[in-house]
Amino acid sequence: MAILNNIRKQSLVLIAVIALALFSFVLADLFRNSDALTAKSQNVVATINGKDITREDFMQKVEAMQRQMGGNGTSTQAMNNVWNQEVRQAVMQTQFDALGFTVEKDQMRDLLKTSLANNADFQNEAGLFDENKMNEYIANLKETSSIAYQQWIDYEEGVAANALNQNYVNMVKAGMVGTLAEGELQHKLEGDQVDIKFIQVPFSSIVDSTITVSNSDITAYMNSHVKQYTVEASRNINYVQFNEVASLEDENAIQQNLKNLLKDQVVYNEVTKRNDTVLSFVKAKDNEAFVNANSDIKFDNRFIKKTDLPAAVADSIFNLNAGEVFGPYKDANNFKLSKVVAVTQMPDSVKARHILLPFVGSRSATAETVQTKEQAKVTADSIMNVVKSSPSKFVSLLDFSADTVSNEKEGVLDWFTYNAMVPEFRDFTFENSKGDFGVVETVFGYHIIEILGQKNMQRTIKVATIARKIEPSEATISKVFRDAASFENAVANGVFQDVAKENNYTVRPVDGIKVLDENIPGLNSQRAIVRWAFEEDAEIGDIKKFPISNGFAVVQLTAKNKAGLMNTQNASVTALPAIRKAKKADMIKSRISATTLEDLASAEGQTIRTALAVNMKTPTVTGVGREPKVVGAAFGLKEGETSKLIVGENGVYMVQVTKATPAVELANYQAFANQVGQQKQTEVDSRLYTALKDASNIEDNRANTVQ
């Protein structure tokens, strides 16, 4: 293979590159890109390790991704997916280029053969991959459709990239071994144990309110933890939401409209030029037509049990007699009227057998199906007459049936529930009696059915329900628009918070919005708001009204945060606890002069505690939790020796080792070395790409080139 030849020829380069990759893998935290972005042309979306990604190419891929996602994603999600793909490809290509990794023609052929082996379009009569068929397919694409041909090229590139990536990962994994020294260390970390006595002076013994933390303290802490507090440029906003929801008047109007359906209505007929009387819902004979003409939800022609009704009104509806109506009542986001149109005793499950006759156009039809619908009906009636007069002949006639699954069970469909079958089959088997025969047409064909059994007869009802969605009227929608516009005008000349309070509106603050964010908490996808907040001429205090999915949002820009160190107010959330902890540690240490556990316990009002079988691999101390510094200090002591004060995660400690038990010496540490190697290899899949990405030079210019 070309790859193996290149590896042999460039073994020194290979070793060097692998070493660099592994070094970055282990020390990933040392590599970070600067946040300062190089000014880029409007035509360059990004530069990754010196390679430019043009806006035209990027947007073409975004459009293709949107088509692939269909209605399952937004344009921003499509853009982010393409971005992640492009970055990964560019980062990995840098490594491939350095090693001279390529996919040659013969290898590409083998890769396609493997990838397409199960594709029927490229198989011969024996079901094996046929390269000639693939070549014909590609040639046809090239001549007939430039778009389809480009899609094929993209597919080939994807196959090649996956192969190169897997080769690279395997190569790195091959270098991830555990040495005997590492195996011995692993054994000792697990096996070396100490028993300790210790005193903990917890940080909680000092009340937080007694610790003074200034802005300069926070700034100093941030400067010593730059990586943790370096942020992208962001914006803060306040917004008030105006939702288009139905008012009480709207709900009352919907209910009254439903109540009117309970009365006969006189309607002028434009055709006959006279008044006609439209019967009420109670008197209506064609319940299905009445419901479908007056409801937002179509008529459901099936019998139901009490448990199928809304729990709040189940008793009220289920106990009605046929022809009686209940409502209006509220169910979820609808007001409803429900009329019981039929009551019967029905089983909860049925056992039946059938013979299925397909006809041309039915779902069970195959290439061998020749009977028309009319011919199949004649055949079905003939078979039904035979089996009805001689049920013992049912099994012998299964050769006519297209249901190969039930044919294996003598045509039997064993104990199925009401909603398990298509409506026509369901209605016959549940509404007739055991022993009945019949011919039923469904989308699958004609069924000759015999009902073999029915279990658990119970009362069921058929309900005609008129539902009206609870939604705002035009008057309410107009009022919401006016309220939003009035608020927008008022805050332009006043204080946003004050005007909102005067009108009993809730102000919702959102901080830390990034330039490529899409969602605003509480408003979902709102790229328009994000773009507005990041416009060059946008100023703090600016106000704008935005349409949202169910109304409007009036938004105020409250802060423009530059890239770099975050402000002290935002940093204080995490910096304050850390600074307080450090100040408490200094206070505790400054007041302690004791050098023994007993003296310290007496001075601080603490008790001497013990922790047994402490090890370095899981550095926890019984009763206080994870304390790596404390455990590390304990392993630096001799048996019987007492430590100085140790600042841990949860307090200040003094430790005395009462017993030290070394790990058992082994003749060979290969088993532990193998464990170390396996752990390293396991981490390659999740950490290798991240390490390579962190070590790459990525200039992201999307905010300036893509909207």
Side-chain angles (χ1 to χ4, degrees):
M1 288 300 214
I3 289 178
L4 294 179
N5 289 332
N6 275 320
I7 289 176
R8 294 189 186 101
K9 292 176 183 178
Q10 303 186 48
S11 58
L12 293 177
V13 175
L14 174 63
I15 293 170
V17 173
I18 293 176
L20 288 173
L22 297 181
F23 184 71
S24 64
F25 174 45
V26 175
L27 302 177
D29 285 347
L30 297 178
F31 299 96
R32 287 296 183 273
N33 297 321
S34 170
D35 287 326
L37 297 176
T38 305
K40 281 291 177 182
S41 162
Q42 289 295 311
N43 293 323
V44 177
V45 172
T47 302
I48 303 171
N49 291 335
K51 175 189 174 183
D52 288 342
I53 298 176
T54 65
R55 185 181 190 280
E56 181 181 4
D57 181 59
F58 184 79
M59 293 310 297
Q60 285 178 352
K61 292 178 179 178
V62 170
E63 290 173 7
M65 177 64 69
Q66 285 182 287
R67 289 193 297 270
Q68 180 181 331
M69 295 171 68
N72 298 322
T74 65
S75 58
T76 301
Q77 289 171 331
M79 182 182 73
N80 289 338
N81 288 345
V82 172
W83 170 257
N84 292 333
Q85 291 175 1
E86 291 294 290
V87 171
R88 187 180 191 95
Q89 181 180 347
V91 168
M92 296 309 299
Q93 191 61 49
T94 301
Q95 303 302 312
F96 303 154
D97 291 344
L99 291 171
F101 270 25
T102 60
V103 174
E104 303 299 336
K105 185 176 180 180
D106 57 342
Q107 186 186 11
M108 189 70 232
R109 184 172 59 249
D110 292 339
L111 290 172
L112 290 173
K113 180 178 179 180
T114 301
S115 178
L116 301 171
N118 296 321
N119 191 317
D121 292 336
F122 306 117
Q123 292 176 345
N124 58 25
E125 294 179 356
L128 301 176
F129 179 78
D130 189 331
E131 186 176 342
N132 291 328
K133 284 195 172 186
M134 183 186 70
N135 292 336
E136 290 175 7
Y137 175 81
I138 297 172
N140 183 59
L141 288 182
K142 193 171 184 179
E143 292 179 4
T144 60
S145 173
S146 59
I147 296 177
Y149 181 66
Q150 183 58 49
Q151 290 174 340
W152 175 264
I153 296 299
D154 293 341
Y155 170 74
E156 285 191 353
E157 290 177 352
V159 171
N162 288 337
L164 291 174
N165 187 74
Q166 192 58 55
N167 287 342
Y168 184 84
V169 170
N170 290 340
M171 181 184 69
V172 174
K173 283 185 176 181
M176 303 298 274
V177 297
T179 65
L180 289 176
E182 289 176 314
E184 183 177 2
L185 176 61
Q186 178 84 346
H187 174 62
K188 288 182 176 295
L189 290 175
E190 295 178 7
D192 286 350
Q193 297 179 351
V194 293
D195 297 344
I196 63 173
K197 294 193 297 185
F198 68 94
I199 296 289
Q200 179 202 30
V201 183
F203 292 134
S204 59
S205 63
I206 301 176
V207 180
D208 284 352
S209 60
T210 63
I211 305 298
T212 301
V213 178
S214 65
N215 284 340
S216 60
D217 291 331
I218 296 175
T219 300
Y221 185 83
M222 290 166 59
N223 287 329
S224 62
H225 298 80
V226 172
K227 175 185 166 185
Q228 181 180 350
Y229 292 99
T230 298
V231 294
E232 302 173 37
S234 64
R235 300 291 184 266
N236 299 349
I237 63 170
N238 286 332
Y239 73 87
V240 170
Q241 190 172 356
F242 294 83
N243 289 326
E244 294 173 346
V245 295
S247 65
L248 180 59
E249 292 77 10
D250 294 335
E251 292 194 8
N252 290 337
I254 296 169
Q255 292 186 78
Q256 185 58 52
N257 188 279
L258 287 174
K259 290 177 182 178
N260 291 340
L261 296 177
L262 299 175
K263 306 172 186 177
D264 293 344
Q265 302 288 321
V266 177
V267 179
Y268 182 74
N269 191 319
E270 291 288 348
V271 177
T272 62
K273 304 299 182 183
R274 65 184 182 185
N275 291 331
D276 290 341
T277 299
V278 178
L279 295 178
S280 68
F281 187 35
V282 178
K283 298 178 183 178
K285 301 301 181 185
D286 189 342
N287 292 290
E288 181 174 357
F290 195 97
V291 168
N292 291 342
N294 293 282
S295 176
D296 292 332
I297 301 174
K298 297 302 180 183
F299 179 75
D300 186 2
N301 186 29
R302 64 188 179 96
F303 282 92
I304 60 175
K305 297 179 288 187
K306 182 178 177 179
T307 53
D308 297 321
L309 294 164
V313 296
D315 287 331
S316 300
I317 297 174
F318 194 73
N319 294 328
L320 295 176
N321 296 316
E324 293 181 336
V325 178
F326 176 77
Y329 63 93
K330 191 173 186 178
D331 178 33
N333 197 39
N334 294 280
F335 279 115
K336 296 180 177 180
L337 283 175
S338 290
K339 176 183 177 181
V340 174
V341 298
V343 179
T344 189
Q345 292 291 318
M346 187 175 287
D348 68 358
S349 58
V350 171
K351 182 178 182 179
R353 61 180 177 176
H354 78 140
I355 296 170
L356 172 59
L357 299 182
F359 51 80
V360 176
S362 63
R363 267 190 211 174
S364 59
T366 64
E368 290 75 29
T369 302
V370 295
Q371 282 195 316
T372 64
K373 183 175 179 180
E374 293 74 17
Q375 291 170 334
K377 179 64 165 65
V378 172
T379 305
D381 289 338
S382 299
I383 294 175
M384 202 266 297
N385 290 332
V386 173
V387 298
K388 189 172 183 180
S389 60
S390 301
S392 60
K393 295 182 179 180
F394 197 100
V395 175
S396 65
L397 295 170
L398 286 174
D399 289 341
F400 288 95
S401 181
D403 187 351
T404 56
V405 176
S406 67
N407 287 352
E408 297 293 327
K409 303 176 182 178
E410 299 186 342
V412 174
L413 301 167
D414 206 10
W415 299 115
F416 52 88
T417 55
Y418 185 75
N419 291 316
M421 299 296 178
V422 290
E424 300 86 356
F425 197 103
R426 173 200 71 195
D427 292 346
F428 179 83
T429 54
F430 278 83
E431 295 178 23
N432 290 285
S433 303
K434 177 181 177 180
D436 285 350
F437 287 84
V439 174
V440 173
E441 179 190 348
T442 74
V443 293
F444 297 99
Y446 283 105
H447 305 256
I448 299 93
I449 303 172
E450 179 187 2
I451 302 174
L452 300 176
Q454 296 176 326
K455 291 195 298 188
N456 302 327
M457 301 298 290
Q458 56 191 285
R459 185 178 191 266
T460 57
I461 61 175
K462 185 175 290 187
V463 181
T465 296
I466 298 173
R468 293 285 176 83
K469 186 178 180 180
I470 301 172
E471 53 189 3
S473 64
E474 289 298 326
T476 297
I477 293 173
S478 296
K479 183 179 183 302
V480 171
F481 177 82
R482 291 195 302 272
D483 289 345
S486 296
F487 180 72
E488 181 185 21
N489 292 332
V491 295
N493 300 309
V495 178
F496 196 92
Q497 299 278 4
D498 293 345
V499 176
K501 185 175 181 180
E502 290 171 6
N503 291 276
N504 294 319
Y505 296 146
T506 300
V507 177
R508 300 183 183 182
V510 181
D511 296 343
I513 300 171
K514 307 295 191 303
V515 67
L516 294 174
D517 282 352
E518 178 178 25
N519 292 324
I520 302 292
L523 299 178
N524 296 322
S525 180
Q526 293 296 333
R527 275 295 296 164
I529 295 177
V530 177
R531 286 196 294 266
W532 167 76
F534 277 90
E535 288 177 356
E536 289 186 10
D537 57 353
E539 297 182 359
I540 295 174
D542 283 357
I543 309 288
K544 188 171 182 179
K545 175 167 62 68
F546 292 88
I548 56 177
S549 60
N550 60 338
F552 301 92
V554 177
V555 184
Q556 179 189 47
L557 180 61
T558 58
K560 299 172 68 173
N561 307 308
K562 296 180 179 180
L565 285 179
M566 67 172 64
N567 61 50
T568 55
Q569 181 179 355
N570 292 337
S572 65
V573 175
T574 54
L576 271 176
I579 296 170
R580 286 195 186 109
K581 183 187 291 187
K583 287 179 176 268
K584 289 179 180 181
D586 290 340
M587 291 175 63
I588 293 170
K589 289 170 65 179
S590 66
R591 74 190 184 206
I592 293 175
S593 58
T595 57
T596 67
L597 294 178
E598 292 74 16
D599 290 345
L600 179 58
S602 176
E604 292 293 328
Q606 302 292 333
T607 58
I608 299 175
R609 292 188 276 175
T610 60
L612 306 178
V614 177
N615 67 66
M616 288 284 283
K617 187 174 183 181
T618 54
T620 59
V621 176
T622 305
V624 296
R626 183 176 173 82
E627 286 290 0
K629 290 183 179 179
V630 176
V631 173
F635 272 90
L637 300 173
K638 297 178 181 178
E639 196 170 290
E641 188 177 0
T642 301
S643 73
K644 296 181 180 180
L645 295 177
I646 307 163
V647 178
E649 296 295 319
N650 303 293
V652 176
Y653 298 80
M654 184 179 287
V655 176
Q656 183 183 80
V657 174
T658 57
K659 182 182 179 182
T661 306
V664 176
E665 293 286 340
L666 300 179
N668 188 291
Y669 294 95
Q670 188 61 54
F672 285 93
N674 293 341
Q675 288 181 19
V676 173
Q678 186 60 48
Q679 290 169 2
K680 290 180 180 180
Q681 290 183 13
T682 300
E683 292 180 346
V684 167
D685 289 326
S686 61
R687 296 179 59 188
L688 176 58
Y689 169 67
T690 301
L692 293 172
K693 180 182 174 183
D694 288 342
S696 297
N697 181 19
I698 301 174
E699 298 179 10
D700 184 354
N701 199 37
R702 283 177 295 167
N704 299 324
T705 58
V706 181
Q707 292 298 317

